[in-house]
Amino acid sequence: MNYFLINKNLPDFYIKRLSQYGFCIPAPENGDLDFPVSTHPDMLAARVKNKLFIHASDIRLNSTLSKLGASFTLSRTEISAKYPNDISLNLFCMGDKIFANEKYMSKEVKSFATLSGMEIINVAQGYAKCSTMLLRDAIVTADTSIYTAAKEHGIDSLLITPGGINIEKYDTGFIGGASASISDGKVAVFGDISKHPDGYNIRDFAYKHDTEIVSLGSGNLFDYGGIVRFTA
């Protein structure tokens, strides 16, 4: 069964739509992180191959997942609200490659990735997962360091215009935080993809890579920190 770790502040109509694809688990707020990213799944957890990693200090999320019988691994890298101490789990995988700011990534994730034979691709962008929409075998990003690194390692990539995504408190959100894989070949966005300046290019690029973009709403895209999808 699909489980979705979601932002606890996600509007009900999004949760209703997502529940057609998996069981939604609102993530408790992590007091070690700054608002609003303290409830963003892409800051709270990461899935690497078959393992779900969460922060060891996140007692409430630990309790929530334990009650569901979900298995997870603790990342003991210390976190705080100040960058770059908040990015240890903000990373993503594409095949046998893991993209992260290697200097600050979780030591436990790095060790697991190395033992699993994964290649760690270092990128300057600390918020790697926030910045990246993941398709079947390709990515979409507005970040040039991630775009360049992906292309250099044989991953097809679409570079989009920065901005055009709403978020609480900050000037602009990220495409990764406004999207999430909800099933094989389907990526959902919080809002209407056609409202993004590069929306039609994103949709066409996704189609090229056998991925359907599912617009969950009707307004501008909004960064809720994406979704961490896993199986218990």
Side-chain angles (χ1 to χ4, degrees):
M1 180 179 181
N2 267 338
Y3 286 89
F4 297 147
L5 187 65
I6 63 170
N7 189 324
K8 75 181 188 71
N9 298 316
L10 200 63
D12 288 342
F13 67 89
Y14 282 141
I15 297 175
K16 185 176 180 180
R17 290 289 308 277
L18 288 170
S19 296
Q20 299 174 33
Y21 299 94
F23 183 79
C24 293
I25 306 167
E29 184 171 5
N30 186 317
D32 292 329
L33 300 175
D34 193 22
F35 176 83
V37 300
S38 53
T39 59
H40 281 204
D42 53 21
M43 300 288 283
L44 304 177
R47 192 188 76 179
V48 181
K49 287 191 175 290
N50 61 335
K51 278 190 179 289
L52 177 68
F53 290 85
I54 70 169
H55 299 295
S57 61
D58 200 340
I59 304 301
R60 285 187 288 180
L61 182 55
N62 184 320
S63 176
T64 297
L65 294 174
S66 295
K67 288 176 182 177
L68 289 170
S71 61
F72 54 88
T73 299
L74 298 178
S75 169
R76 301 190 182 279
T77 299
E78 189 173 345
I79 62 169
S80 72
K82 187 176 180 181
Y83 180 88
N85 298 325
D86 57 348
I87 65 171
S88 60
L89 292 180
N90 206 298
L91 46 88
F92 69 89
C93 302
M94 182 59 60
D96 63 352
K97 297 174 175 58
I98 184 166
F99 289 74
N101 186 309
E102 187 173 2
K103 182 177 180 180
Y104 300 107
M105 72 185 293
S106 162
K107 294 178 178 62
E108 285 72 24
V109 171
K110 185 174 183 178
S111 176
F112 174 73
T114 301
L115 290 172
S116 300
M118 299 183 75
E119 182 181 5
I120 298 172
I121 311 299
N122 183 52
V123 292
Q125 172 59 262
Y127 300 111
K129 179 61 182 73
C130 291
S131 304
T132 312
M133 174 189 279
L134 304 181
L135 308 178
R136 277 185 183 273
D137 57 356
I139 65 166
V140 177
T141 185
D143 187 87
T144 54
S145 72
I146 295 173
Y147 172 81
T148 301
K151 296 288 277 189
E152 287 176 349
H153 288 84
I155 297 171
D156 198 9
S157 308
L158 176 67
L159 186 65
I160 60 172
T161 307
I165 299 170
N166 297 335
I167 189 173
E168 282 189 88
K169 185 178 176 180
Y170 303 114
D171 291 336
T172 186
F174 295 107
I175 190 66
S179 66
S181 169
I182 54 173
S183 68
D184 292 342
K186 288 184 186 293
V187 169
V189 294
F190 300 120
D192 183 349
I193 192 64
S194 68
K195 298 294 179 65
H196 187 276
D198 291 309
Y200 292 103
N201 289 336
I202 294 171
R203 191 164 59 190
D204 290 346
F205 184 75
Y207 180 78
K208 172 185 169 185
H209 289 278
D210 298 320
T211 303
E212 177 189 355
I213 302 295
V214 179
S215 292
L216 297 177
S218 58
N220 291 340
L221 298 191
F222 199 98
D223 184 342
Y224 285 105
I227 292 169
V228 176
R229 174 184 162 205
F230 65 98
T231 54

